[in-house]
Amino acid sequence: MSNQDQTNQYEDIPFHDTSFINVSYLNSPTGFASHWHTYGEFILCLSPEETVFTISSETYVLKQNDLLTVWPCELHSIESAPKGSVLIIQFPGQMLSCTNELHMLQDFITHRHLLSSKEAPQQAEQAARLLFRIKELSASSEPFRDTRKQICLMELLLLLGQGFSKYHFSRLFKEYMNTSFTAHLTSQRIQKAISLFKQHMDCTPSEYRSRMIQNVPENFS
């Protein structure tokens, strides 16, 4: 894609109030051409009717209570969304690196787009509850409402981070570290054991082995 094409597809999101979190409900578009923005989006499907989104050329057909996440700067489009079928929460991309833990997790969670209500019903229910709480806060005059909305978003990001299956985590770990998690963990344990051995014996395991060999009597069998 050329730079000109990317510029034409950039969307500058207008926010409804002074909050850094945008809520779109009931009035969200039924279709929207391919575009991108520096904000992320949580999209909760509310309708039993077919709702279709595309992210980076991959199509997602959402079922009721499914959660779709569009991460910052991803090219995406709304192919088909019946009127009032989705709740959309837009949030600033810098939230993904506002703590060391989230920053470390960022590469992993941004590969995950769909939280299926069928495959993970409890997580999907928790996510929906957090998103509706943000919607409720946006329309309220509660003290510290923006702070409360940010806390809900942080909880949602943590929920997504904790929701990796063993298979999904292992696949992503090998892709980024070029080794399996088990092999990496074994290597780290060996290095730690060598370090502790050296502190205790004042030599490395190989040096200790050489010393022991030198002290073995010649007639030893």
Side-chain angles (χ1 to χ4, degrees), residues 4-187:
Q4 183 64 37
D5 289 338
Q6 290 180 337
T7 300
N8 290 340
Q9 291 174 304
Y10 171 73
E11 180 190 11
D12 187 11
I13 300 174
F15 280 69
H16 300 316
D17 54 28
T18 57
S19 173
F20 62 89
I21 297 173
N22 203 21
V23 177
S24 179
Y25 180 63
L26 298 180
N27 60 344
S28 54
T30 57
F32 205 98
S34 187
H35 64 287
W36 65 277
H37 38 67
T38 57
Y39 284 79
E41 288 183 324
F42 289 122
I43 302 167
L44 179 65
C45 181
L46 307 174
S47 173
E49 299 180 57
E50 187 174 271
T51 304
V52 184
F53 284 76
T54 298
I55 303 176
S56 302
S57 300
E58 185 168 351
T59 300
Y60 296 88
V61 180
L62 305 185
K63 308 296 184 183
Q64 193 169 18
N65 299 323
D66 283 353
L67 174 66
L68 186 69
T69 305
V70 179
W71 300 107
C73 300
E74 286 190 318
L75 199 62
H76 61 286
S77 62
I78 303 176
E79 301 299 324
S80 174
K83 195 68 175 177
S85 62
V86 291
L87 167 63
I88 300 177
I89 306 291
Q90 295 168 327
F91 63 94
Q94 55 265 35
M95 283 200 68
L96 292 171
S97 56
C98 63
T99 69
N100 288 334
E101 291 89 349
L102 280 176
H103 183 70
M104 291 175 62
L105 196 60
Q106 183 174 348
D107 285 341
F108 292 101
I109 64 175
T110 53
H111 279 74
R112 185 184 193 186
H113 292 99
L114 180 63
L115 177 59
S116 168
S117 59
K118 181 178 180 181
E119 296 178 5
Q122 291 184 339
Q123 284 184 303
E125 183 181 349
Q126 292 175 25
R129 187 162 53 245
L130 288 167
L131 290 174
F132 271 105
R133 176 58 176 156
I134 292 172
K135 171 185 170 295
E136 178 185 281
L137 286 166
S138 295
S140 77
S141 56
E142 287 189 36
F144 304 105
R145 69 169 190 162
D146 284 343
T147 302
R148 296 178 194 274
K149 286 192 289 185
Q150 185 172 359
I151 290 172
C152 288
L153 278 173
M154 294 288 283
E155 289 184 5
L156 185 50
L157 290 171
L158 289 174
L159 178 67
L160 294 178
Q162 294 168 358
F164 283 103
S165 67
K166 181 178 179 181
Y167 167 78
H168 192 63
F169 174 80
S170 297
R171 182 179 64 80
L172 287 176
F173 190 93
K174 189 169 185 178
E175 179 181 339
Y176 279 87
M177 300 298 290
N178 202 30
T179 185
S180 70
F181 177 73
T182 302
H184 176 76
L185 182 60
T186 300
S187 175

